[in-house]
Amino acid sequence: MEFLLASGIGFVTACAVYLMLRGRTFSVVLGLSLFGYAVNVFLFAMGRLWTNAQPILVGEGPVADPLPQALVLTAIVIGFATTGFVIELALRSRHESGTDHVDGREPGGHK
């Protein structure tokens, strides 16, 4: 199960890097979002995947660590706000430059 989880995180990270290296702003925004999701799953997995474990110490038995869950929930909320801000920057850049390319120039065009 750990190999499957690590492979999934690696695949999502590779897709995110591929999208971030493309020349369009929408691809970059999608890549940043995917990378954020990969980091969230990684943080969540670092707290170990427990079943039938309580997050609060009450007597005997296994206890799950609630800190990674709290970190991931906080990161999700911040990620939504950041994604909205980055989308607004991309839309403004598209409006001002007239193109969707991250450098503001069409490919093959010379200045």
Side-chain angles (χ1 to χ4, degrees), residues 97 99 101-107 109-111:
S97 68
T99 182
H101 292 275
V102 293
D103 61 356
R105 294 183 287 161
E106 293 292 329
H110 300 287
K111 208 172 188 185

Side-chain angles (χ1 to χ4, degrees), residues 53-107:
Q54 300 179 10
I56 299 174
L57 183 60
V58 287
E60 298 295 321
V63 178
D65 186 13
L67 184 62
Q69 295 175 11
L71 288 173
V72 168
L73 287 174
T74 304
I76 288 170
V77 171
I78 293 171
F80 281 138
T82 305
T83 301
F85 180 68
V86 171
I87 288 173
E88 179 59 34
L89 289 177
L91 289 172
R92 181 168 180 155
S93 172
R94 164 102 173 132
H95 177 69
E96 289 182 3
S97 68
T99 182
D100 190 29
H101 292 275
V102 293
D103 61 356
R105 294 183 287 161
E106 293 292 329

Side-chain angles (χ1 to χ4, degrees), residues 12-35:
V12 172
T13 303
C15 290
V17 169
Y18 172 75
L19 285 172
M20 284 190 288
L21 292 177
R22 296 191 48 121
R24 303 268 184 174
T25 56
F26 186 70
S27 297
V28 172
V29 171
L30 284 178
L32 286 171
S33 295
L34 272 180
F35 191 69

